[in-house]
Amino acid sequence: MVAKQLGLLRELLPGAVRVVVLVNPADAARAESISQNVEAAARALGLQIAVFNASTAGEIDAVFASLARERADALLIAADPFFYSRRVQLATLAARHMIPSASGGRDGTEAGLLVSYGTSVADMYRRVGDYTGRILKGAKPADLPVEQPTKFELVINLQTAKMLGIDVPPTLLARADEVIE
């Protein structure tokens, strides 16, 4: 997912060189996995990456305060329940600091981040309903296969793009599942 998200940032910001990636160190395994994946994807795209940690609202404020020093062209917010709960703070700070930001969930884009690409939550809920229906009809949970997400959503916030002075390519708009105007 992070490779796709970085690719979208690259498509939106072809001149971008340095991307800050925000991870939550409270979930060390996830933070390490994301850091490794983002480094590999960044090399392939010719981007420089700086990984920042934040696990409190104050640490998020500190990360944004340091973005100017880092000369960051964009921010990639790792998928994490804590960041989901802080999406309004993240979107507000991204707007205040004029930093194009991407995340893994549409809720962040609805709150004001530039772009998101991630699993369709609505589709996941439908699939949970299907599983529940099978179990209620007598299927044994242990006999049901483990499924991976199959539907992903690209959401672009055009209001944010305009505020940041970014012209979203028509080809990207055509691929978007939703464009927030």
Side-chain angles (χ1 to χ4, degrees):
M1 288 294 250
V2 287
K4 181 69 171 176
Q5 292 162 349
L6 274 178
L8 289 167
L9 280 173
R10 174 56 112 190
E11 206 169 332
L12 284 163
L13 307 161
V17 175
R18 189 158 176 80
V19 177
V20 167
V21 179
L22 184 61
V23 297
N24 182 356
D27 186 345
R30 183 191 313 227
E32 180 62 28
S33 173
I34 289 170
S35 295
Q36 289 174 355
N37 289 333
V38 81
E39 289 289 343
R43 275 193 301 277
L45 293 169
L47 294 169
Q48 299 171 9
I49 295 295
V51 177
F52 280 59
N53 295 315
S55 57
T56 67
E59 289 175 350
I60 290 172
D61 288 336
V63 166
F64 276 90
S66 67
L67 287 176
R69 274 195 320 275
E70 289 297 318
R71 297 182 320 276
D73 297 311
L75 173 68
L76 175 59
I77 302 163
D80 185 90
F82 171 67
F83 295 146
Y84 173 81
S85 73
R86 304 303 307 169
R87 65 192 177 279
V88 172
Q89 177 190 13
L90 291 161
T92 300
L93 289 169
R96 183 178 306 142
H97 292 274
M98 300 292 289
I99 186 87
S101 301
S103 71
R106 73 177 297 120
D107 293 325
T109 309
E110 289 171 350
L113 297 177
L114 176 61
V115 64
S116 64
Y117 181 79
T119 304
S120 167
V121 175
D123 186 60
M124 286 192 316
Y125 286 145
R126 261 190 302 283
R127 293 172 64 171
V128 167
D130 289 343
Y131 256 56
T132 303
R134 288 183 190 170
I135 292 167
L136 291 173
K137 291 177 182 173
K140 294 180 185 173
D143 293 339
L144 295 175
V146 175
E147 293 185 14
Q148 295 291 321
T150 57
K151 181 159 176 30
F152 301 92
E153 294 179 308
L154 169 59
V155 181
I156 300 169
N157 190 320
L158 271 185
Q159 292 174 338
T160 301
K162 288 176 186 171
M163 179 198 65
L164 295 170
I166 296 171
D167 292 323
V168 179
T171 55
L172 190 56
L173 288 173
R175 291 194 333 250
D177 296 290
E178 183 175 348
V179 176
I180 299 170
E181 298 188 55

